[in-house]
């Protein structure tokens, strides 16, 4: 996750809820909500503290079957699927430093890919599975890097001294990377080419954001933002905007913190983490209806969901 979040209660009036529901409906129609949906993937990865430290789990959201994939004394966080579903990349401090690891989809064959004294985090696969983007402070500040899927050919993409760049996410066509940066003094979502060029701020004029994730068709980006002020308080919610940063719409409504969105392969549902029940759980949002469902229901800290491709 890009930054620690502090929970502030907030309330929504009926008029506000109605406006948000209408906005969600407009978004769903624009996305072709009347068409027959693609069959949805039923498995979501996430990190949970339910065994005492953070481990990676696989949840079948239809059957409720839960499988623990890692079991060690370190923190295993931020899992992400390779596009063909055969491997999982994640961050872990099991070796002392926070590094990028990869394992088979059943949790076997764990390999340290980055093996660096600095902090390496927030890994994400390229659409063709050949490269991994991640954030690292190996040069003093958190910057965005890419490497081959085997850990080779490391390339630094951002060079922002004294500024945090993290949470990289590849566009579905593999040509761009969205990420968080505080270049302008606050957390915003930027997009750049995969060589680090053509940097564009998508949220600077709209109130900031973090945790960007592209929709499967590449036309939208879901993200986290506290841009809406309710009764004098700010709270983190899930938004969706066009890939150029226009027309942001708040789509997750609660009195808690909603963060870390992950699109389902069909582009209709989004998994996210929320502490609306006073501890973080994994929820599923139906973008067409606005329905939000708690799928973990556990008194631990569940975070960083990732839908299987």
């Amino acid at each position: 996750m890009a930054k620690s979040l502090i929970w502030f209660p907030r309330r929504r009036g009926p008029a506000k809820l109605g406006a948000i529901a209408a906005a969600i409906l407009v978004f769903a129609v624009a996305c072709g909500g009347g068409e027959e949906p693609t069959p949805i993937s039923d498995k979501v990865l996430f990190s949970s503290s339910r065994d005492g430290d953070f481990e990676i789990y696989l949840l079948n959201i239809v059957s409720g079957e839960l499988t623990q994939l890692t079991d060690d004394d370190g923190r295993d966080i931020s899992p992400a699927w390779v596009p063909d579903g055969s491997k999982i990349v994640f961050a872990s401090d099991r070796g002392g430093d926070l590094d990028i690891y990869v394992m088979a989809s059943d949790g076997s064959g764990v390999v340290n890919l980055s093996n660096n004294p600095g902090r390496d985090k927030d890994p994400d696969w390229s659409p063709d599975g050949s490269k991994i983007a991640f954030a690292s402070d190996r040069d003093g500040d958190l910057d965005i890097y890419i490497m081959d899927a085997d850990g080779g050919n490391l390339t630094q993409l951002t060079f922002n001294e004294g500024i945090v760049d993290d949470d990289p996410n590849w566009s579905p066509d593999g040509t761009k990377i969205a990420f968080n940066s505080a270049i302008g003094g606050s957390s915003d979502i930027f997009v750049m080419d995969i060589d680090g060029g053509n940097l564009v701020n998508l949220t600077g004029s709209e109130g900031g954001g973090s945790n960007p994730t592209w929709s499967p068709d590449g036309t939208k980006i879901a993200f986290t933002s506290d841009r809406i002020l309710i009764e004098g308080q700010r709270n983190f919610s899930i938004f969706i905007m066009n890939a150029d940063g226009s027309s942001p719409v708040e789509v997750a409504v609660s009195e808690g913190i909603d963060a870390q969105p992950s699109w389902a392969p069909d582009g209709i549902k989004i998994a996210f983490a929320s502490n609306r029940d006073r501890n973080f759980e994994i929820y599923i949002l139906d973008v067409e209806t606005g329905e939000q469902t708690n799928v973990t229901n556990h008194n631990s800290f569940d975070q960083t969901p990732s839908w299987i491709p």
Side-chain angles (χ1 to χ4, degrees):
M1 191 170 180
K3 55 184 175 180
S4 59
L5 305 180
I6 302 174
W7 180 81
F8 294 100
R10 83 175 178 194
R11 295 187 295 276
R12 303 272 188 179
K16 178 67 176 175
L17 287 172
I20 292 172
I24 291 173
L25 179 59
V26 169
F27 172 79
V29 171
C31 289
E35 299 175 0
E36 188 70 23
T38 303
I40 188 170
S41 168
D42 58 2
K43 293 182 176 65
V44 174
L45 284 171
F46 66 100
S47 177
S48 177
S49 65
R50 62 187 61 203
D51 80 336
D53 54 20
F54 282 96
E55 307 288 356
I56 307 298
Y57 291 80
L58 176 62
L59 174 67
N60 186 313
I61 62 172
V62 175
S63 69
E65 179 183 3
L66 183 68
T67 304
Q68 184 173 344
L69 297 181
T70 64
D71 185 12
D72 62 89
D73 293 332
R75 294 177 302 148
D76 298 334
I77 58 176
S78 304
W81 294 96
V82 68
D84 68 7
S86 64
K87 295 181 180 179
I88 297 164
V89 68
F90 63 101
S92 178
D93 62 3
R94 61 178 64 194
D97 298 305
L98 192 62
D99 286 315
I100 306 301
Y101 289 77
V102 68
M103 63 183 176
S105 60
D106 63 358
S108 64
V110 178
V111 176
N112 186 339
L113 295 180
S114 61
N115 198 20
N116 176 71
R119 191 170 36 138
D120 300 332
K121 69 187 194 82
D122 305 335
D124 188 56
W125 293 94
S126 64
D128 64 3
S130 68
K131 295 186 180 296
I132 296 170
F134 65 102
S136 177
D137 66 358
R138 61 187 61 204
D139 288 330
D141 302 303
L142 275 170
D143 283 301
I144 306 301
Y145 292 76
I146 59 173
M147 62 182 172
D148 290 347
D150 63 1
N153 292 323
L154 182 70
T155 303
Q156 185 173 350
L157 299 185
T158 64
F159 299 83
N160 297 312
E161 185 175 353
I163 292 172
V164 171
D165 298 332
D166 60 4
D167 263 5
N169 185 256
W170 292 83
S171 64
D173 65 4
T175 64
K176 296 183 181 297
I177 294 175
F179 65 102
N180 303 339
S181 181
I183 293 174
S186 61
S187 178
D188 279 302
I189 295 172
F190 288 76
V191 169
M192 62 183 170
D193 293 343
I194 59 172
D195 62 1
N198 294 321
L199 185 68
V200 178
N201 186 339
L202 298 184
T203 59
S205 62
E206 295 288 347
S210 58
N211 310 139
T213 177
W214 297 80
S215 63
D217 64 4
T219 64
K220 308 286 181 181
I221 294 176
F223 63 101
T224 304
S225 179
D226 64 350
R227 63 185 56 197
I228 293 182
L229 188 66
I230 303 295
E231 298 180 357
Q233 296 180 337
R234 293 189 182 276
N235 205 17
F236 290 91
S237 299
I238 306 299
F239 289 76
I240 295 174
M241 63 182 172
N242 292 328
D244 63 1
S246 64
S247 303
V249 175
E250 187 182 26
V251 293
V253 179
S254 80
E255 295 183 352
I257 295 169
D258 301 327
Q260 303 171 334
S262 174
W263 288 91
D266 66 357
I268 295 173
K269 289 182 168 58
I270 293 174
F272 65 98
S274 176
N275 74 343
R276 61 187 64 187
D277 295 324
R278 299 303 191 269
N279 63 285
F280 276 93
E281 308 271 13
I282 305 303
Y283 284 75
I284 304 297
L285 164 70
D286 187 310
V287 174
E288 291 185 340
T289 66
E291 180 182 1
Q292 301 168 58
T293 305
N294 184 341
V295 294
T296 51
N297 290 296
H298 195 275
N299 60 0
S300 61
F301 194 118
D302 300 331
Q303 63 169 356
T304 58
S306 176
W307 227 300
I308 189 171

